[in-house]
Amino acid sequence: MFSTTDTVIHPPGTATKEREPATYVWPAAGLTEVPDWIYTSQVIYDREVERIFHGSTWNYVALEAEIPKANDFVRSWIGPTPVVVARDADGSVHVFENRCAHRGVEFCRHSRGNNAEFVCPYHQWTYDMRGDLQGVPFRRGMKGEADSGMPRDFNPAQHGLHKMKVARRHGVVFASFDHDMEPLETYLGEEIVHDFDVLFKGRQLRILGYYRNELPGNWKLYHENLKDPYHATLLHSFLVTFGLMVAGSKSAMIADPSGRHGTMASAKPADVTKVVDASTASQMRAYRTDLKLEDPRFIDFVPEFDSPWTVTMQTIWPNLIVQRELNTLGVRQIVPNGPNSMIMNWTMFGFDTDTEEMTRHRLRQGNLMGPAGFLGLEDNEAIKFLQEGVRRSPTEVGILKLGGTTEGTATTLVTESAIRSMYRQYREVMGL
Amino acid sequence: MMIPGYEQTALDPRAALEARFEVEAFHASYCHMLDTGDLVNWVDFFDEECTYVVTGRENAEAGLPVGLIYAEGRGMIRDRAYAVKHTQMYAPRYMMHTVSNVLVLRASADEIRSVSNYLLLQTLVEGRTTIHQAGRYYDTFVRRAGALLIRERRCVYDSDLIANDLVFPV
């Protein structure tokens, strides 16, 4: 079933490394070494929820295309915390905790829907689409009965749902627990905004559907995976063999100045055999000359963006992946689920201007990604293996020495510089 | 109706029973092929022109077209079979299908439509055997040289939250 139940030998909670170590001291080597306890410790996980997901970050919560009309809503998450994203009659978008202000009931149970008000099923407290408390049954009590109903000074304005600060950019909705949060654009930085806008600016999205999976690995490993172009050229036969991302092609690993966000970018060469020489090919087992497609349509690229890149995978700290892989487009929301697990919510989309054939092309190309995707399933397996390795072995550190001690943006794929910059800011925020 | 075209139609009881036996026999062969890992011959259960989609019930009910696996034509199915067999990286596992409640919706000399429940069990090395998917096959079969082939198979799973990934076809 899931990571919490399917491991028989040393299931989560039984490994020594999940207990609190004597001290949390980062290895003296600095960013070229990563201590395993950042992936396994409940203490560290709790601090991440408090300081990162509930701290000064913008968290992805929904696409506006999912809530196009007044009174539309979706269930979502900020870190592990359930929230509701709702559109009010005036078009504004509101995000609040999915927790009744009365007794704490998680009142919204449907993934999406449309209603003019939220009614908590337990005692019928009602809230409008802004999360403001509208009604409390028997607030004034039963007529003629003493000590009945709410006290006279009960003020509904003070008992609305816990609201988040909201930011929107080109149809993507973010929310923050921090009401003093800096503007989204400042938070992202201009490098990240640039490639984000290439995909979203001036477009009306058409939702094509959802995938959901539990991935039995620490949530940071998903960021690492997409800041790790080294693995992309080695693990994924489909990327390498068809030139979607391959050593020797034009590519970049872009980081924002803070180091927390990234864009892994690559340009598909017209002929992959021209960029992969014999020496490069011999180092990539995944480069498979025997892999020929009977139906090669699905790796076609239809130019539709003003960008030198055919692939950009953006990691937006702390919970969003923006996927532009040729013409298969989507966002992935990371929901951390304890140190050993995360939930991935995938929303795949096209544009409202797509022809029927373009939609089908995106659907065919969708076979690359997702929990059954030719790339996607390999990442999920690799991350699971990594989590099991760090959790069940007594060895204490992993190494990040590719590219030396460089940090941030790199133009080679054979580097771990963006992972190092991510951990520089992580250590600052976490006090590690 | 979750999937248009899969409504129950009036059927002659005897014809429905015959069609049901035929579909059950098809499921048994198809699942045997997948469960023994014979992906090469699994491809031959599909007609040249076919649709094969594996998707969550959430998408099917909302009419959203995306597929966890989405194949148009036998070429794409053969490509997936080759990739899973020869190029993909994943932990070893055994899969087992059990199919039940075969319900024939339409039956004519050259086409049968049916819906059937399936349970997909997964066994990882040193792991428990778990229910990986509880779902339904929405099938359109065509008759080719006397045998049924899949014109359309939509595997719609209730288990929306997938345990890590889906490596093998359903």
Side-chain angles (χ1 to χ4, degrees):
Chain A
M1 198 67 185
F2 302 114
S3 67
T4 46
T5 51
D6 79 343
T7 307
V8 176
I9 302 174
H10 260 200
T14 60
T16 314
K17 282 161 83 178
E18 292 169 275
R19 290 182 202 117
E20 196 174 354
T23 55
Y24 290 104
V25 177
W26 200 278
L31 294 168
T32 57
E33 290 190 359
V34 181
D36 285 359
W37 43 255
I38 67 167
Y39 307 113
T40 58
S41 160
Q42 184 70 40
V43 172
I44 292 296
Y45 175 80
D46 293 345
R47 197 186 294 181
E48 289 169 348
V49 172
E50 178 198 335
R51 297 196 186 179
I52 297 172
F53 295 101
H54 292 178
S56 298
T57 53
W58 282 114
N59 290 261
Y60 165 83
V61 288
L63 295 173
E64 289 198 54
E66 297 176 276
I67 47 168
K69 301 188 302 291
N71 300 333
D72 282 345
F73 71 86
V74 294
R75 260 170 77 97
S76 187
W77 309 84
I78 297 178
T81 304
V83 299
V84 177
V85 184
R87 191 184 288 278
D88 195 17
D90 67 359
S92 56
V93 174
H94 304 270
V95 179
F96 34 79
E97 266 186 0
N98 189 353
R99 179 193 197 279
C100 180
H102 178 212
R103 300 299 311 278
V105 169
E106 199 176 299
F107 56 88
C108 178
R109 310 303 300 187
H110 292 280
S111 298
R112 58 202 72 252
N114 182 284
N115 51 221
E117 60 182 14
F118 292 99
V119 183
C120 177
Y122 200 6
H123 304 97
Q124 274 94 59
W125 284 34
T126 59
Y127 302 90
D128 64 16
M129 301 307 276
R130 294 170 173 267
D132 291 328
L133 181 60
Q134 295 298 305
V136 174
F138 297 111
R139 182 178 157 198
R140 311 280 179 209
M142 288 296 286
K143 198 166 184 174
E145 293 178 4
D147 298 325
S148 168
M150 281 293 183
R152 294 182 66 84
D153 62 355
F154 178 80
N155 180 2
Q158 291 172 352
H159 294 277
L161 300 170
H162 180 188
K163 297 173 188 176
M164 314 300 161
K165 190 176 172 81
V166 175
R168 297 191 267 169
R169 187 171 180 85
H170 304 313
V172 186
V173 186
F174 295 83
S176 181
F177 271 70
D178 179 1
H179 283 269
D180 299 321
M181 202 47 208
E182 64 189 313
L184 177 66
E185 292 69 24
T186 316
Y187 175 76
L188 295 176
E190 72 183 74
E191 299 88 345
I192 302 302
V193 165
H194 177 81
D195 284 303
F196 183 91
D197 284 3
V198 164
L199 177 55
F200 292 109
K201 190 177 180 181
R203 312 273 190 170
Q204 292 295 322
L205 305 191
R206 181 179 160 222
I207 304 295
L208 297 178
Y210 302 94
Y211 313 136
R212 302 178 192 283
N213 64 297
E214 190 245 17
L215 208 172
N218 185 274
W219 66 276
K220 298 185 292 299
L221 293 174
Y222 215 91
H223 286 270
E224 289 191 29
N225 183 61
L226 289 167
K227 292 177 190 293
D228 168 15
Y230 180 53
H231 97 277
T233 67
L234 298 169
L235 172 62
H236 300 305
S237 293
F238 270 70
L239 273 189
V240 176
T241 305
F242 303 122
L244 309 187
M245 179 169 287
V246 58
S249 65
K250 181 172 152 44
S251 53
M253 183 64 238
I254 301 160
D256 77 310
S258 80
R260 60 196 157 187
H261 316 300
T263 304
M264 193 192 287
S266 182
K268 183 187 177 193
D271 181 354
V272 65
T273 60
K274 296 238 163 47
V275 299
V276 177
D277 59 26
S279 147
T280 311
S282 69
Q283 296 193 60
M284 298 187 296
R285 288 165 198 258
Y287 185 67
R288 296 284 296 263
T289 50
D290 62 317
L291 179 54
K292 298 262 192 305
L293 294 175
E294 193 163 313
D295 188 343
R297 285 179 302 173
F298 103 101
I299 53 159
D300 286 349
F301 176 59
V302 180
E304 57 174 334
F305 300 106
D306 180 16
S307 170
W309 310 117
T310 47
V311 174
T312 57
M313 300 296 298
Q314 292 201 290
T315 38
I316 296 181
W317 188 260
N319 78 334
L320 174 64
I321 310 301
V322 180
Q323 166 194 325
R324 176 166 81 80
E325 178 83 33
L326 306 180
N327 303 110
T328 175
L329 313 175
V331 290
R332 307 173 198 169
Q333 180 188 40
I334 300 170
V335 179
N337 187 35
N340 298 303
S341 169
M342 68 187 117
I343 307 298
M344 299 293 302
N345 291 323
W346 305 61
T347 306
M348 309 305 292
F349 58 80
F351 302 124
D352 69 342
T353 50
D354 288 349
T355 60
E356 172 66 21
E357 176 48 30
M358 188 63 182
T359 298
R360 285 168 61 160
H361 172 56
R362 295 195 202 282
L363 295 171
R364 289 192 296 264
Q365 206 156 66
N367 285 292
L368 285 171
M369 294 298 189
F374 295 127
L375 310 182
L377 79 86
E378 292 179 324
D379 285 327
N380 292 10
E381 290 286 302
I383 289 171
K384 176 183 178 175
F385 299 172
L386 196 163
Q387 186 71 25
E388 290 191 343
V390 296
R391 197 172 58 78
R392 299 201 285 195
S393 70
T395 305
E396 289 178 342
V397 296
I399 60 168
L400 290 173
K401 292 187 175 176
L402 277 171
T405 56
T406 56
E407 289 177 37
T409 297
T411 50
T412 170
L413 294 177
V414 188
T415 182
E416 286 156 342
S417 65
I419 303 178
R420 285 190 289 270
S421 60
M422 176 178 100
Y423 280 120
R424 173 170 299 285
Q425 69 89 32
Y426 173 85
R427 289 178 62 185
E428 285 166 17
V429 173
M430 292 287 288
L432 294 170
Chain B
M1 173 49 56
M2 200 190 299
I3 300 196
Y6 288 90
E7 300 83 9
Q8 179 72 64
T9 61
L11 292 168
D12 167 62
R14 183 160 296 276
L17 207 56
E18 266 180 40
R20 178 177 165 175
F21 280 134
E22 225 177 339
V23 172
E24 283 183 346
F26 181 94
H27 286 321
S29 305
Y30 176 101
C31 295
H32 179 73
M33 212 65 92
L34 280 182
D35 294 347
T36 54
D38 188 349
L39 291 175
V40 174
N41 288 310
W42 164 74
V43 175
D44 295 333
F45 286 101
F46 292 86
D47 195 27
E48 192 63 42
E49 297 286 319
C50 61
T51 304
Y52 174 60
V53 178
V54 182
T55 198
R57 184 166 175 167
E58 177 183 19
N59 294 320
E61 289 191 336
L64 295 169
V66 86
L68 210 58
I69 299 174
Y70 178 97
E72 290 176 1
R74 198 157 55 189
M76 285 187 74
I77 292 170
R78 188 167 285 123
D79 289 340
R80 179 165 283 270
Y82 186 88
V84 173
K85 197 83 184 163
H86 299 288
T87 76
Q88 299 274 276
M89 191 288 288
Y90 50 84
R93 65 199 62 204
Y94 299 127
M95 308 304 288
M96 182 183 286
H97 295 68
T98 80
V99 184
S100 65
N101 294 51
V102 175
L103 181 63
V104 175
L105 304 171
R106 290 174 195 218
S108 66
D110 48 13
E111 186 189 290
I112 297 173
R113 288 195 186 196
S114 62
V115 58
S116 314
N117 293 353
Y118 69 83
L119 282 181
L120 176 60
L121 308 177
Q122 176 168 274
T123 310
L124 296 173
V125 171
E126 296 163 359
R128 299 176 212 284
T129 298
T130 58
I131 296 174
H132 201 55
Q133 285 192 348
R136 290 179 187 81
Y137 287 130
Y138 290 84
D139 291 320
T140 301
F141 299 99
V142 288
R143 200 174 296 283
R144 298 278 181 250
L148 297 184
L149 292 181
I150 294 171
R151 165 60 60 83
E152 175 176 89
R153 167 157 278 190
R154 293 185 181 275
C155 312
V156 179
Y157 53 89
D158 287 356
S159 335
D160 268 329
L161 189 63
I162 293 164
N164 205 23
D165 51 21
L166 177 72
V167 172
F168 292 104
V170 182

